[in-house]
Amino acid sequence: MREIIAPLSQMLKNREVSSKELTEKYISAIKSDNKKYNAYVSTTFDKAIKNAEKADEMLANGTATVLTGIPMTLKDNICSDGDLTTCCSKILEGFRPYYDSTVWSKLKAQGAVMLGKTNMDEFAMGSTSETSCYGAPLNPRNVNHVTGGSSGGGAGAVCANLAAYALGSDTGGSIRQPASFCGIVGLKPTYGAVSRYGLIAYGSSLDQIGVLANSVKDTATVFDAISGVDSNDQTSVDFDFGNISDSLGKNDVKGLKIGIAREYFDGIDSEIKDAIDGAVKFFEDNGAEIIDISLPVLKQALPVYYIIACAEASSNLGRYDGIRYGYRPETFNDVEEMILKTRTEGFGNEVKRRIMLGTYVLSSGYYDAYYKKACLLRENLIADFDEIFNTCDVLIAPTAPNTAFPLNFSDASPVDMYLSDIATVPINITGVPAISVPIKNDSKGLPIGMQIIGKKFSEKTILDTAYFYEKNAEIGVEDFEGGAAL
Ligand code: GLN
């Protein structure tokens, strides 16, 4: 897959192009292509040009880093001071936060140029980005199909070269699954590896900010820049990852112990199974040791996820009352009616469904039967994953049981939509890191993704493994031409 960040950075440093010119190129690509893909829901072009001018100063005075002057985008649930951030929900219509998320302030300090906010499922609830109040983003690989979700706009923007990279959030697969559907790379870091300060909460014990990019190297470069402990996020962890992007390519996979859990392959599309089998064979041919394992508790991951995520969402979304943020109805008789109308008119159906489910599983009559049981099962899943990583360095699995759905599939069956999250949610439940990399196209020409999963804080191992695959295997997913491509 094509590396974008380091070559662009080199061009900027060689003065072959200025950051302002590069930013203008991306802006004109967005102006012409966003109509086709609906990847961006708001743009910050004037600010981007100002930031590009600042980046050009950094390039001139020797304070530039590899990310200085490179245009990128944030998902519409990551706050940046003064810019629309709406979670693609009517209830946050017009909301402009007055502070920067930690990830954005880190990138801004390095001279990154943010082009705007990208489309997503409302409050990150969904797997197609179709619950967005701005309408769904369309998959650049085939516009009759969804980008996946919930970080679908970011995946579409990166795939179509409307941003060099994107930050998204992943609560149950929302970075990895759209990366897989659009044929790009997506990293969900270890819970706590990247600060969540300024990420609008969905399920706080599962939410994690991560990276969508064109290549493993680009992904590592951005992860290096955004990871680290943060006093504004008490769940962030002080762990020294070193500089992962510089260290890539130094290791091969000889002796790497790769676990394959057979339960991961139950009910998945046979083309996807064959593609993953081919990738596993590639690792085996290159000296990795393949270990068959069993993970029976995987079957419980979906109900555990939907109970815990909805419970946390029902609490997190209690703050949208028409008083503090965004949307408020025009007429009401008293405060109670105002809150009721705000939430009735402001939230979409999927969000309401999850708030109701979450409230139900937390109610005193059902707490023990559902929420408490889900928390206990979560402990079992964590213990099983710990056990696996005592014998395996990484696990390999499909990213999703299917390739990109045709448009409107989620309207027909919300439950089928939930079931399609089976491969990604265990990673959030257990807090471990995972990366999705493209391997090949299916017979419809839609990309298939593979997940490489590691133990907590093993980002270097999974990025190294993914990099080895990207550099040495035959990847059957083409780089996308168009947009602001190099
Ligand atoms: N598809 C999952 C859901 O609908 C994951 C969403 C996410 O990771 N934000 O909840």
Side-chain angles (χ1 to χ4, degrees), residues 256-267:
L256 185 78
K257 294 193 177 73
I258 299 181
I260 308 289
R262 67 185 82 96
E263 290 80 2
Y264 249 122
F265 294 84
D266 290 347

Side-chain angles (χ1 to χ4, degrees), residues 355-398:
I355 292 174
M356 284 192 280
L357 183 66
T359 309
Y360 177 81
V361 299
L362 288 175
S363 60
S364 62
Y366 295 98
Y367 179 91
D368 285 344
Y370 295 107
Y371 184 70
K372 199 168 162 198
K373 203 180 264 176
C375 291
L376 291 171
L377 285 168
R378 183 180 198 172
E379 294 305 318
N380 289 354
L381 213 70
I382 292 171
D384 283 11
F385 265 66
D386 279 350
E387 177 99 26
I388 285 172
F389 290 121
N390 282 334
T391 47
C392 303
D393 299 311
V394 296
L395 260 180
I396 282 187

Side-chain angles (χ1 to χ4, degrees), residues 106-149:
K106 284 186 167 193
L107 293 172
K108 198 165 72 172
Q110 292 205 21
V113 175
M114 203 260 287
L115 297 161
K117 298 287 168 87
T118 37
N119 212 344
M120 56 184 278
D121 280 298
E122 184 179 4
F123 281 101
M125 298 176 185
S127 310
T128 61
S129 300
E130 289 176 306
T131 68
S132 163
C133 71
Y134 303 101
L138 305 180
N139 193 322
R141 304 275 177 185
N142 180 336
V143 291
N144 297 317
H145 289 257
V146 299
T147 52

Side-chain angles (χ1 to χ4, degrees), residues 415-433:
V415 173
D416 281 349
M417 198 72 357
Y418 298 168
L419 293 175
S420 74
D421 293 333
I422 181 64
T424 45
V425 296
I427 309 313
N428 304 74
I429 294 171
T430 55
V432 299

Side-chain angles (χ1 to χ4, degrees), residues 103-431:
V103 285
W104 173 235
S105 55
K106 284 186 167 193
L107 293 172
K108 198 165 72 172
Q110 292 205 21
V113 175
M114 203 260 287
L115 297 161
K117 298 287 168 87
T118 37
N119 212 344
M120 56 184 278
D121 280 298
E122 184 179 4
F123 281 101
M125 298 176 185
S127 310
T128 61
S129 300
E130 289 176 306
T131 68
S132 163
C133 71
Y134 303 101
L138 305 180
N139 193 322
R141 304 275 177 185
N142 180 336
V143 291
N144 297 317
H145 289 257
V146 299
T147 52
S150 65
S151 311
V158 171
C159 170
N161 300 308
L162 302 181
Y165 65 92
L167 295 191
S169 65
D170 190 315
T171 305
S174 281
I175 288 176
R176 290 158 287 154
Q177 185 254 30
S180 164
F181 281 14
C182 292
I184 60 165
V185 179
L187 172 71
K188 195 289 284 186
T190 306
Y191 185 78
V194 175
S195 169
R196 288 182 295 115
Y197 179 69
L199 168 69
I200 299 177
Y202 159 21
S204 310
S205 76
L206 306 154
D207 294 342
Q208 189 57 64
I209 291 179
V211 188
L212 294 133
N214 276 282
S215 66
V216 176
K217 177 91 170 177
D218 288 355
T219 305
T221 303
V222 179
F223 175 74
D224 284 340
I226 61 171
S227 52
V229 67
D230 176 15
S231 58
N232 284 323
D233 174 1
Q234 298 304 311
T235 61
S236 68
V237 178
D238 191 3
F239 184 89
D240 183 10
F241 289 97
N243 184 323
I244 298 181
S245 60
D246 279 353
S247 72
L248 291 181
K250 299 210 168 81
N251 299 318
D252 56 25
V253 293
K254 273 194 199 76
L256 185 78
K257 294 193 177 73
I258 299 181
I260 308 289
R262 67 185 82 96
E263 290 80 2
Y264 249 122
F265 294 84
D266 290 347
I268 71 162
D269 183 292
S270 64
E271 285 193 71
I272 296 180
K273 183 178 180 310
D274 291 349
I276 304 285
D277 284 348
V280 171
K281 176 148 186 338
F282 163 84
F283 283 115
E284 197 171 17
D285 291 347
N286 281 279
E289 185 187 335
I290 309 299
I291 305 174
D292 277 319
I293 51 171
S294 177
L295 200 51
V297 68
L298 207 60
K299 289 204 171 56
Q300 281 138 10
L302 268 179
V304 167
Y305 170 78
Y306 274 96
I307 289 170
I308 292 177
C310 292
E312 293 182 11
S314 73
S315 163
N316 275 326
L317 272 60
R319 72 192 71 174
Y320 304 107
D321 52 11
I323 298 169
R324 285 170 284 195
Y325 314 92
Y327 178 76
R328 180 183 295 175
E330 269 167 25
T331 57
F332 45 85
N333 293 315
D334 53 27
V335 175
E336 206 168 310
E337 190 183 313
M338 184 199 70
I339 296 175
L340 187 69
K341 275 180 125 182
T342 298
R343 292 171 69 83
T344 305
E345 293 165 18
F347 287 134
N349 286 343
E350 184 59 34
V351 173
K352 284 180 190 157
R353 190 167 16 235
R354 295 193 191 202
I355 292 174
M356 284 192 280
L357 183 66
T359 309
Y360 177 81
V361 299
L362 288 175
S363 60
S364 62
Y366 295 98
Y367 179 91
D368 285 344
Y370 295 107
Y371 184 70
K372 199 168 162 198
K373 203 180 264 176
C375 291
L376 291 171
L377 285 168
R378 183 180 198 172
E379 294 305 318
N380 289 354
L381 213 70
I382 292 171
D384 283 11
F385 265 66
D386 279 350
E387 177 99 26
I388 285 172
F389 290 121
N390 282 334
T391 47
C392 303
D393 299 311
V394 296
L395 260 180
I396 282 187
T399 305
N402 45 271
T403 52
F405 304 108
L407 296 174
N408 303 323
F409 180 80
S410 58
D411 292 350
S413 172
V415 173
D416 281 349
M417 198 72 357
Y418 298 168
L419 293 175
S420 74
D421 293 333
I422 181 64
T424 45
V425 296
I427 309 313
N428 304 74
I429 294 171
T430 55

